[in-house]
Amino acid sequence: MPALSSRITDLNEGGSDGWEVFYRARAMVAAGEKVTELTIGEHDIGTDEAILDAMYTSAKGGHTGYAMVPGVDALRDVVAERVTKRTGVATTRDNILITPGGQAALFAAHMAVCNPGDTALFIDPYYATYPASIRAASAEAHAIQTRADADFRPSRAAVEEAARLPRARSLLINSPNNPTGTVYPRQTLEMLAGVCTQNDLWLISDEVYDTQIWQGEHLSPRALPGMAERTLVIGSMSKSHAMTGSRIGWIVAPPSAIDALIDLATTTTYGVPGFIQDAALFALSQGAQVENAVADPYRRRRDLALSILADQQIVTAIPAQGAMYLMLDIRATGLSGRDFAEKLLDARRIAVMPGESFGRSAAGHLRVALTVDDARLAQALRELCAFAATIAKAA
Ligand code: PMP
C-alpha cells in the first residue's frame, strides 16, 4: 500500500501511547480474570437516569437529524451562562463551540492557534493524549518539566524559557490536573498568564475537572485581566456529569476564534448529535446537585486512600486537591512506575497507570483512578502497599 502520512504515523513518535497496562488489564478481564482496574478516568456509575430519559425523549421527538454545527443555540446559551456565572467574565453563545468531548476540543484548539511547525507548550505531567493531540495539528509538542517537590506546579523560569523557544505559539495547562490532582493557585495562574501575555502566546486551559475540587478553589485563567482575548477554555461533561460515552464538551474562546473553529468543525465532526445536546442541556439545567452527586464519591475515596497510605512509609501519596485520581510516589521501591505497574498487575491483579505514561516529571510514580467502590479501593491500596514493601525489602 502507499505510505501513510508521517503526521499520523508519528503521532506517538514511534513510541508507545502509554496505555499498555490498561490494554493488558482489559485483555485479562476479557479472558475471564478478575482484575481491579484503577486505570482510566471512567466512572463506576452510569449516566443519571433522568439525563438518559431526556436523551431518549429528544431522540424520539425527532432530534436525530443533523444538528447545528456550532451547537444548538439553547445549549450554547446555557454553557455561556454557566461560564459567566462561574468566572464573572461576560460570555455569550458567540464564545461557545459545542464539541464531541474535550478531546476533540483539545485537537481543534491547537488547530485553531498553531501553524504547521509552530511549538505548542504543555506542562509535564500531562494527560496522556496531549503530545499526540498537538502533533495531530502538525505542531511541535514541547513539555515543560515540573518537580514532585514543587507539587508539580511549573516554575516561572521553566515556563519563560519554553516561551522563548522559536515559534512558541501556545501553552496548554490543566487545573485541576490529571494525573497529579494539583489545583493551581491564583499566583501560579497569574504567572502563567503573564508569560503568555509577554510572549504573545495563546493559553489553552483544560478545565474538564472544574467540578471536582477538594481543596482550594478553581480559578479559570480566562478571568484574569486581559486573558479572555488570548484564552481558549476546554470544557466537558464527561467528568462533571458522568457522560463520558456521550462525547460532549465545548470550547470557550473569542468570537473570531469560534467562527474559525466552526469552519473546522464543518470539515471534521459536523457537530454533535442533537439528542446528546438536548441531554446535556437538561443536565446543565439541573444545577449543582447532579455534579455534586458525581464528585462526592471521589472526595470520599481520596480521603479514604490518604488514610490507608498514612499507615506505612514506602508509598507516599501526593494529596490531590482535585480530580478523580491519586498520584503515588513509589520511588522508595527502586522501581520505575512502569515496572511497578506491570509487576503489580501480574502479581496482584491490580491495574494502575505508570507515572511515565504522563511524562518524565511523573517517573517513579503511579496514578490510581479512584473509580471502584470504597471497599475494593481500600483492599487494592492495602495490597499495593504490601507489594511495595516486599519489593523495597528485597532491594
Ligand atoms: N482533558 C483531561 C485532562 C482529561 O483527563 C480528559 C479525559 N480523561 C480529557 C481532557 C478528555 O475528556 P473527554 O474527551 O471525555 O471530554
Side-chain angles (χ1 to χ4, degrees), residues 19 40-41 100-106 126-130 174 176-179 206-209 234-239 243-245 247-249 325 367:
W19 297 105
I40 57 168
Q103 184 55 52
L106 280 164
Y126 49 83
Y127 175 48
T129 68
Y130 280 6
N174 172 220
N177 187 269
N178 174 13
D206 178 343
E207 303 181 18
V208 306
Y209 293 100
I234 309 295
S236 170
M237 300 194 61
S238 288
K239 312 299 177 178
M243 290 181 73
T244 49
R247 314 305 308 132
I248 177 116
Y325 316 95
R367 188 196 75 175

Side-chain angles (χ1 to χ4, degrees), residues 100-115:
Q103 184 55 52
L106 280 164
F107 168 67
H110 285 93
M111 281 291 279
V113 303
C114 292
N115 282 311

Side-chain angles (χ1 to χ4, degrees), residues 187-229:
Q187 215 182 355
T188 302
L189 292 167
E190 283 176 349
M191 179 275 285
L192 295 167
V195 176
C196 285
T197 307
Q198 277 148 26
N199 294 276
D200 199 24
L201 301 182
W202 284 93
L203 181 64
I204 302 176
S205 180
D206 178 343
E207 303 181 18
V208 306
Y209 293 100
D210 68 348
T211 59
Q212 299 180 358
I213 302 281
W214 323 135
Q215 246 174 36
E217 57 171 345
H218 174 69
L219 178 65
S220 175
R222 181 168 172 267
L224 295 176
M227 288 308 288
E229 66 192 55

